[in-house]
Amino acid sequence: MDLSTMPPDRVRGERMARQRLVGDPFPDLGSCVGTLGAVQFQEFEDSLWSLARRTKDRPSREAITTEIAQGDLVRHHVLRPTWHVVRAEDLGWMLDLTAPRIVAQMRSGLRSTGLLEDRDRLVGLVGEIVEAADAPLTRKEIGAALATRGIELKGQALGHVTMSAELDKVVTTGPRRGSWDTFVPYASRIPATQIDRDEALVRLASMYLAGHAPATAHDFAWWAGLTVTDAKRAFAQVETDPIEAPSSDGTAFLLSLFDELVIAYQDRSHYEVPTARDGIIDVWGGNLALLDGVVAGTWRRLKPKRRADPVLLEITPSRALSPSDRERIETDAASLIDHLDTTVDLQWKDPA
């Protein structure tokens, strides 16, 4: 797909409409995630807002967390070597399609920690430990259980092993314990599925375009962790239902840094996102504030030092903003504050 013939505001507007940032929201969380295919969930707390703002009645943080922990949605490493939320019914075939390339990408990390030759045995031990446990285990608890067997793994090394166990369909995530992920046996949550690779490739491309078009094969390859050759072959077999493409003009959003509106594309120039080397988003560690579909600043949520103090929602403009611009951003910030369901102070942090 050649996006150069479309005005940038229409590219942004159609993506917003397909992702239900404008227009009618998705009726429920399952249809939201099912249409988008997968939602990057690297930063758990901020990513809850990504789902809530696209879904009817904006479900609470607790409701979304419960659905991910025990319901039809699951948080797992899939597509690329990072966390995503997908429907439990889709995880199996998505792993079959995308896990082999993630496993290959992880070899250097496993080698650097001295675990490459022992990978499969360690994954098996993790499976035995989680299967035998009376309750879901945190990564730290898995590490402690390995230590009782004479295997000392911490930090990055332990993370490589638990991620490998996810990719091999040995474990998946269970209920969060505070801010920590827990792990349960994969088969206890995820139904067995098996479809032909070509069918899976076309199915994933159909999902991607339904929730992200207009986009290129290179965008899809980036998002799915596939080769460009596979992406082009899939795109050649998929037709996307046209929609009326609105303009992004007049919109104002506070989005997670890893929101699908931005992170799902290799080319993020339509949003004027600051990028560093290799196209990595470079926004000073904050989330994104968009006006008319382009970056106008960043925001972050700062926990109070004292329990009685409010949470601080700090917005930092990246360019001069008029009073009306700030009012539009503050209107969307009010929706975010309602979602946080706690006392929040909103402050502007203008560059010196």
Side-chain angles (χ1 to χ4, degrees), residues 1-19 21-22 208-209 211-216 219 243-249 251 260-262 265 267-272 290 292-294:
M1 181 180 295
D2 182 7
L3 303 187
S4 64
T5 60
M6 289 185 67
D9 69 299
R10 298 293 171 178
V11 173
R12 297 189 294 263
E14 181 173 341
R15 291 172 177 175
M16 291 175 183
R18 289 187 182 276
Q19 295 190 25
L21 288 168
V22 297
Y208 177 74
L209 287 173
H212 298 86
T216 68
D219 290 325
I243 66 169
E244 187 70 28
S247 171
S248 61
D249 290 351
T251 60
E260 288 293 303
L261 183 67
V262 177
Y265 307 93
D267 178 6
R268 301 173 187 126
S269 60
H270 290 92
Y271 309 106
E272 299 181 18
L290 271 63
D292 304 319
V294 300

Coordinates of all heavy atoms in Angstrom, one line a residue, residues 1-19 21-22 208-209 211-216 219 243-249 251 260-262 265 267-272 290 292-294:
M1 N 0.8 -1.2 0.0 CA 0.0 0.0 0.0 C 0.9 1.2 0.0 O 1.8 1.4 0.8 CB -0.9 0.0 1.2 CG -1.9 1.2 1.3 SD -2.9 1.1 2.8 CE -3.9 -0.4 2.4
D2 N 0.6 2.1 -0.9 CA 1.4 3.4 -1.0 C 0.6 4.5 -0.3 O -0.4 4.9 -0.7 CB 1.5 3.8 -2.5 CG 2.3 5.0 -2.7 OD1 2.9 5.5 -1.7 OD2 2.4 5.5 -3.8
L3 N 1.2 4.9 0.9 CA 0.6 5.9 1.7 C 0.9 7.3 1.2 O 0.3 8.3 1.8 CB 1.0 5.7 3.2 CG 0.7 4.3 3.8 CD1 1.0 4.4 5.3 CD2 -0.8 3.9 3.6
S4 N 1.9 7.4 0.3 CA 2.3 8.8 -0.1 C 1.2 9.5 -0.8 O 1.3 10.8 -0.9 CB 3.5 8.7 -1.0 OG 3.2 8.0 -2.2
T5 N 0.2 8.8 -1.3 CA -0.9 9.5 -2.1 C -2.0 10.0 -1.1 O -2.9 10.7 -1.6 CB -1.5 8.6 -3.1 OG1 -2.0 7.4 -2.5 CG2 -0.4 8.2 -4.1
M6 N -2.0 9.6 0.2 CA -3.0 10.0 1.1 C -2.5 11.2 1.9 O -1.4 11.2 2.4 CB -3.3 8.8 2.1 CG -4.1 7.7 1.4 SD -4.5 6.4 2.7 CE -5.7 7.4 3.7
P7 N -3.3 12.1 2.2 CA -3.0 13.2 3.1 C -2.7 12.7 4.5 O -3.4 11.8 4.9 CB -4.2 14.1 3.1 CG -4.9 13.8 1.8 CD -4.7 12.4 1.6
P8 N -1.6 13.1 5.1 CA -1.3 12.6 6.5 C -2.4 12.6 7.5 O -2.6 11.7 8.3 CB -0.1 13.5 6.9 CG 0.5 14.0 5.7 CD -0.6 14.1 4.7
D9 N -3.3 13.7 7.4 CA -4.4 13.7 8.4 C -5.4 12.6 8.1 O -6.1 12.1 9.1 CB -5.0 15.1 8.4 CG -5.8 15.4 7.1 OD1 -5.2 15.4 6.0 OD2 -7.0 15.6 7.2
R10 N -5.5 12.2 6.9 CA -6.4 11.1 6.5 C -5.8 9.7 6.9 O -6.6 8.8 7.3 CB -6.7 11.1 5.0 CG -7.5 12.3 4.6 CD -8.9 12.5 5.2 NE -9.5 13.8 4.9 CZ -10.7 14.1 5.3 NH1 -11.5 13.2 5.9 NH2 -11.2 15.3 5.0
V11 N -4.5 9.6 6.8 CA -3.9 8.3 7.3 C -4.1 8.2 8.8 O -4.5 7.2 9.3 CB -2.3 8.4 7.0 CG1 -1.6 7.2 7.6 CG2 -2.1 8.4 5.5
R12 N -3.8 9.3 9.5 CA -4.0 9.2 11.0 C -5.5 9.0 11.3 O -5.8 8.2 12.2 CB -3.5 10.5 11.6 CG -2.0 10.8 11.4 CD -1.5 12.0 12.2 NE -2.1 13.2 11.8 CZ -1.5 14.1 10.9 NH1 -0.3 13.8 10.5 NH2 -2.1 15.2 10.6
G13 N -6.4 9.7 10.6 CA -7.8 9.7 10.9 C -8.4 8.3 10.7 O -9.2 7.8 11.5
E14 N -8.0 7.6 9.6 CA -8.5 6.3 9.3 C -8.0 5.3 10.4 O -8.7 4.4 10.9 CB -8.1 5.8 7.9 CG -8.7 4.4 7.6 CD -8.5 3.9 6.2 OE1 -8.2 4.8 5.3 OE2 -8.5 2.7 6.0
R15 N -6.8 5.4 10.8 CA -6.2 4.5 11.8 C -7.0 4.8 13.1 O -7.3 3.8 13.8 CB -4.7 4.8 12.0 CG -3.9 4.3 10.8 CD -2.4 4.8 10.9 NE -1.6 4.2 9.9 CZ -0.3 4.6 9.7 NH1 0.3 5.4 10.5 NH2 0.4 4.1 8.7
M16 N -7.2 6.0 13.5 CA -8.0 6.3 14.7 C -9.4 5.7 14.6 O -9.9 5.2 15.6 CB -8.1 7.8 14.9 CG -6.8 8.5 15.2 SD -7.0 10.3 15.3 CE -5.3 10.9 15.6
A17 N -10.0 5.8 13.5 CA -11.4 5.2 13.3 C -11.4 3.7 13.5 O -12.2 3.1 14.1 CB -12.0 5.7 12.0
R18 N -10.4 3.1 12.8 CA -10.3 1.6 12.9 C -10.0 1.1 14.3 O -10.5 0.1 14.7 CB -9.3 1.1 11.9 CG -9.7 1.2 10.5 CD -8.7 0.5 9.5 NE -9.1 0.6 8.1 CZ -9.9 -0.1 7.5 NH1 -10.5 -1.1 8.1 NH2 -10.2 0.1 6.2
Q19 N -9.3 1.9 15.0 CA -8.9 1.6 16.4 C -9.9 2.1 17.4 O -9.7 2.0 18.6 CB -7.5 2.0 16.7 CG -6.5 1.3 15.9 CD -5.0 1.6 16.3 OE1 -4.8 2.0 17.5 NE2 -4.1 1.5 15.4
L21 N -10.6 5.1 18.4 CA -10.2 6.3 19.2 C -11.2 7.4 18.9 O -11.3 8.3 19.6 CB -8.8 6.7 18.9 CG -7.7 5.8 19.5 CD1 -6.3 6.1 18.9 CD2 -7.7 5.9 21.0
V22 N -11.8 7.3 17.7 CA -12.9 8.2 17.3 C -14.1 7.4 16.9 O -13.9 6.2 16.5 CB -12.5 9.2 16.2 CG1 -11.3 10.1 16.7 CG2 -12.1 8.5 14.9
Y208 N -4.5 -7.5 11.4 CA -3.7 -6.3 11.5 C -4.3 -5.2 10.6 O -4.4 -4.0 11.1 CB -2.2 -6.6 10.9 CG -1.4 -5.3 10.9 CD1 -0.9 -4.8 12.1 CD2 -1.0 -4.7 9.7 CE1 -0.1 -3.6 12.0 CE2 -0.2 -3.6 9.7 CZ 0.2 -3.0 10.8 OH 1.0 -1.9 10.8
L209 N -4.7 -5.5 9.4 CA -5.3 -4.4 8.6 C -6.6 -4.0 9.1 O -7.0 -2.8 8.9 CB -5.3 -4.9 7.1 CG -4.0 -5.0 6.4 CD1 -4.1 -5.7 5.0 CD2 -3.4 -3.6 6.2
G211 N -7.5 -3.6 12.0 CA -7.3 -2.7 13.2 C -6.3 -1.6 13.0 O -6.1 -0.8 13.9
H212 N -5.6 -1.6 11.9 CA -4.4 -0.7 11.7 C -4.3 0.0 10.4 O -3.5 0.9 10.2 CB -3.1 -1.4 12.0 CG -3.0 -2.0 13.4 ND1 -3.5 -3.2 13.7 CD2 -2.5 -1.5 14.5 CE1 -3.3 -3.5 15.0 NE2 -2.6 -2.5 15.5
A213 N -5.1 -0.4 9.4 CA -5.0 0.2 8.1 C -5.3 1.7 8.1 O -6.0 2.1 9.0 CB -5.9 -0.5 7.1
P214 N -4.7 2.4 7.2 CA -3.8 2.1 6.1 C -2.4 1.8 6.7 O -1.9 2.5 7.6 CB -3.8 3.3 5.2 CG -4.1 4.4 6.1 CD -5.0 3.9 7.2
A215 N -1.7 0.8 6.1 CA -0.4 0.4 6.5 C 0.3 -0.3 5.4 O -0.4 -0.8 4.5 CB -0.5 -0.5 7.8
T216 N 1.6 -0.4 5.5 CA 2.4 -1.1 4.5 C 2.8 -2.5 4.9 O 2.7 -2.8 6.1 CB 3.7 -0.3 4.1 OG1 4.5 -0.3 5.3 CG2 3.3 1.2 3.8
D219 N 5.3 -2.2 7.6 CA 4.7 -1.9 8.9 C 4.2 -3.3 9.5 O 4.5 -3.5 10.7 CB 3.5 -1.0 8.8 CG 3.8 0.4 8.4 OD1 4.9 0.9 8.9 OD2 3.1 1.1 7.7
I243 N -13.4 2.1 4.7 CA -14.2 2.9 5.7 C -14.1 4.3 5.3 O -13.1 4.7 4.6 CB -13.8 2.7 7.1 CG1 -12.4 3.2 7.4 CG2 -13.9 1.2 7.5 CD1 -12.0 3.3 8.9
E244 N -15.0 5.1 5.8 CA -14.9 6.6 5.5 C -13.8 7.1 6.4 O -13.8 7.0 7.7 CB -16.2 7.2 5.9 CG -16.3 8.7 5.6 CD -16.3 9.0 4.1 OE1 -16.9 8.1 3.4 OE2 -15.9 10.1 3.7
A245 N -12.7 7.7 5.8 CA -11.6 8.1 6.5 C -11.8 9.5 7.0 O -11.7 10.5 6.2 CB -10.3 8.0 5.7
P246 N -11.9 9.7 8.3 CA -12.0 11.1 8.8 C -10.7 11.7 8.9 O -9.6 11.1 8.7 CB -12.6 10.9 10.2 CG -12.1 9.6 10.7 CD -12.0 8.7 9.4
S247 N -10.6 13.0 9.2 CA -9.4 13.7 9.4 C -9.0 13.6 10.9 O -9.9 13.4 11.8 CB -9.5 15.2 9.1 OG -8.4 15.9 9.5
S248 N -7.7 13.6 11.2 CA -7.3 13.6 12.6 C -7.4 15.0 13.2 O -7.1 15.2 14.4 CB -5.8 13.1 12.7 OG -4.9 13.9 11.9
D249 N -7.7 16.0 12.4 CA -7.7 17.4 12.9 C -8.8 17.5 14.0 O -9.9 16.9 13.8 CB -8.1 18.4 11.8 CG -6.9 18.5 10.8 OD1 -5.8 18.0 11.1 OD2 -7.1 19.1 9.7
T251 N -8.5 16.4 17.0 CA -8.4 15.3 18.1 C -7.3 15.7 19.1 O -6.4 16.4 18.8 CB -8.1 14.0 17.4 OG1 -6.8 14.1 16.7 CG2 -9.2 13.5 16.5
E260 N -1.1 1.3 20.3 CA -1.1 0.7 19.0 C -1.2 1.8 17.9 O -0.8 1.5 16.7 CB -2.3 -0.3 18.8 CG -2.1 -1.6 19.6 CD -0.9 -2.4 19.0 OE1 -1.0 -2.7 17.8 OE2 0.0 -2.8 19.7
L261 N -1.7 2.9 18.2 CA -1.8 4.0 17.2 C -0.5 4.4 16.6 O -0.4 4.8 15.5 CB -2.6 5.2 17.7 CG -2.8 6.3 16.7 CD1 -3.8 5.9 15.6 CD2 -3.3 7.6 17.4
V262 N 0.5 4.2 17.4 CA 1.9 4.7 17.1 C 2.9 3.5 16.9 O 3.5 3.3 15.9 CB 2.4 5.7 18.1 CG1 3.9 6.1 17.7 CG2 1.5 6.9 18.1
Y265 N 3.5 0.7 13.8 CA 4.0 1.0 12.5 C 5.5 1.2 12.5 O 6.1 1.8 13.4 CB 3.3 2.3 12.0 CG 1.8 2.2 12.1 CD1 1.1 2.6 13.2 CD2 1.1 1.6 11.0 CE1 -0.2 2.5 13.3 CE2 -0.3 1.5 11.1 CZ -0.9 1.9 12.3 OH -2.3 1.8 12.4
D267 N 7.0 3.0 10.2 CA 7.2 4.4 9.8 C 6.2 5.2 10.7 O 5.0 5.1 10.5 CB 6.8 4.6 8.4 CG 6.9 6.0 7.9 OD1 7.3 6.9 8.7 OD2 6.5 6.3 6.8
R268 N 6.8 6.0 11.6 CA 5.9 6.8 12.5 C 6.0 8.2 12.2 O 5.6 9.1 13.0 CB 6.4 6.5 14.0 CG 6.3 5.1 14.4 CD 6.9 4.7 15.7 NE 6.9 3.3 15.9 CZ 7.9 2.5 16.2 NH1 9.1 3.1 16.4 NH2 7.8 1.2 16.3
S269 N 6.4 8.6 11.0 CA 6.6 10.0 10.6 C 5.2 10.7 10.5 O 5.2 11.9 10.7 CB 7.3 10.0 9.3 OG 6.6 9.4 8.2
H270 N 4.1 10.0 10.3 CA 2.8 10.6 10.2 C 2.5 11.3 11.5 O 1.7 12.2 11.6 CB 1.7 9.6 9.9 CG 1.8 9.1 8.5 ND1 2.5 8.0 8.1 CD2 1.3 9.6 7.3 CE1 2.4 7.8 6.8 NE2 1.7 8.8 6.3
Y271 N 3.1 10.8 12.6 CA 2.7 11.4 14.0 C 3.8 12.4 14.4 O 3.7 12.9 15.5 CB 2.6 10.3 15.0 CG 1.7 9.2 14.6 CD1 2.2 7.9 14.1 CD2 0.3 9.4 14.5 CE1 1.3 6.9 13.7 CE2 -0.5 8.4 14.1 CZ 0.0 7.1 13.7 OH -0.9 6.2 13.3
E272 N 4.8 12.6 13.6 CA 6.0 13.4 13.9 C 6.6 13.1 15.3 O 6.9 13.9 16.1 CB 5.5 14.9 13.9 CG 5.0 15.4 12.5 CD 4.6 16.8 12.5 OE1 5.0 17.6 13.4 OE2 3.8 17.2 11.6
L290 N -0.9 13.8 21.9 CA -1.1 14.1 20.5 C -2.2 15.2 20.3 O -3.2 15.1 21.0 CB -1.5 12.9 19.8 CG -0.4 12.0 19.2 CD1 0.5 11.4 20.3 CD2 -1.0 10.9 18.3
D292 N -4.3 16.9 17.1 CA -4.5 16.7 15.6 C -3.7 15.5 15.0 O -3.4 15.5 13.9 CB -4.2 18.0 14.9 CG -4.9 19.2 15.4 OD1 -6.1 19.1 15.7 OD2 -4.3 20.3 15.6
G293 N -3.4 14.6 15.9 CA -2.7 13.4 15.4 C -1.2 13.4 15.4 O -0.5 12.5 15.1
V294 N -0.6 14.6 15.8 CA 0.9 14.7 15.9 C 1.3 15.0 17.3 O 0.6 15.6 18.1 CB 1.4 15.7 14.9 CG1 1.0 15.4 13.5 CG2 0.9 17.1 15.3

